[in-house]
Amino acid sequence: MNGYKLIVGSKNYSSWSLRGWLSMRQSGATFEEIFIPFHTEERGELIRKHSPSGLVPVLLDGDLLINDSLAIAEYLAEQHPTAGLWPDDPTARAVARAAAAEMHSGFGALRSALPMNFRLVREGPERSAEVNADVQRIEDVWRNCRSRFAQAGPFLFGDFCTADAMYAPVVSRLRTYSVDIAADSQAYMDAVWAHPWMVEWGKAAATEPAIEKYDAI
């Protein structure tokens, strides 16, 4: 316990690393962060030293290796049950898990067209109907969660939880590419963007070397 190591990639470009890192921070546990820079030619080799899948993030707890963001969150929720990674109420928790799982497995059009670039803000590319449908569905998820469960705070279920961690890179994406969204969605985005953990991540992202092929999208 508390001998965690979390392997993450670029804080400017790696959306899945952000999700795993936010869950790790929310657990409250002490952990060693192992950072894999994305601007080096050796990044694949460096990642595979820790990750059989060649993907980040990876959580190491002794001999246990977990190489999936949602699985990391679930494991940390079990190990730290009072940390609030999921809502306490069973109904809210079920809806939060469904929202997180939908993000985990869906929205491929948005992910491909609007990759995360945490420090960048610019006019985005012309969006396809598929990307616009993804944006609309994301707003619907946010609105449903907030209207049902967020009376006590600014996040999807009031307090920040794993569902918010899963959508945090989307907040960055919509901000980066100046996507027009409804006022209630913007209020939620503003709350996520101002969260101290997001501010901390953003400060680190701002120090990384730019990768031209990613910034050109």
Side-chain angles (χ1 to χ4, degrees):
M1 184 70 70
N2 294 347
Y4 298 127
K5 295 181 181 180
L6 185 72
I7 295 89
V8 298
S10 166
K11 292 190 174 179
N12 195 53
Y13 303 109
S14 180
S15 59
W16 290 107
S17 292
L18 171 58
R19 293 178 173 107
W21 185 86
L22 287 171
S23 294
M24 193 74 251
R25 289 302 309 272
Q26 184 157 18
S27 76
T30 300
F31 67 101
E32 177 187 351
E33 180 181 312
I34 299 173
F35 174 73
I36 307 294
F38 273 18
H39 64 280
T40 65
E41 293 183 0
E42 296 81 19
R43 85 170 186 183
E45 179 182 349
L46 292 172
I47 291 173
R48 285 187 175 84
K49 286 182 178 179
H50 305 282
S51 172
S53 69
L55 301 173
V56 286
V58 175
L59 175 63
L60 301 176
D61 185 10
D63 294 333
L64 176 64
L65 183 152
I66 306 171
N67 60 338
D68 176 89
S69 293
L70 191 52
I72 288 170
E74 292 284 14
Y75 180 72
L76 292 172
E78 291 177 348
Q79 298 300 309
H80 306 278
T82 63
L85 274 88
W86 295 113
D88 290 333
D89 176 74
T91 300
R93 188 163 62 249
V95 175
R97 280 193 162 111
E102 184 171 357
M103 182 68 253
H104 186 267
S105 62
F107 306 114
L110 182 144
R111 291 180 187 177
S112 296
L114 306 178
M116 193 175 88
N117 194 321
F118 206 89
R119 63 172 171 247
L120 185 66
V121 177
R122 67 175 180 83
E123 278 300 312
E126 184 176 351
R127 298 192 301 275
S128 67
E130 291 78 11
V131 173
N132 287 333
D134 277 357
V135 173
Q136 183 59 60
R137 174 56 188 159
I138 287 166
E139 288 198 79
D140 289 345
V141 171
W142 291 352
R143 191 167 291 120
N144 175 62
C145 295
R146 295 267 311 130
S147 65
R148 295 177 64 189
F149 303 107
Q151 291 77 16
F155 302 108
L156 293 180
F157 295 84
D159 294 330
F160 193 91
C161 72
T162 296
D164 300 291
M166 292 300 292
Y167 284 91
V170 174
V171 169
S172 175
R173 285 175 157 113
L174 298 182
R175 178 181 179 274
T176 289
Y177 301 102
S178 306
V179 176
D180 290 329
I181 57 172
D184 58 340
S185 297
Q186 186 63 57
Y188 169 67
M189 285 180 52
D190 290 346
V192 172
W193 195 252
H195 193 288
W197 298 334
M198 290 286 280
V199 173
E200 180 183 348
W201 182 273
K203 288 178 179 178
T207 67
E208 292 181 9
I211 301 177
E212 184 177 355
K213 66 179 180 179
Y214 295 155
D215 285 359
I217 296 174

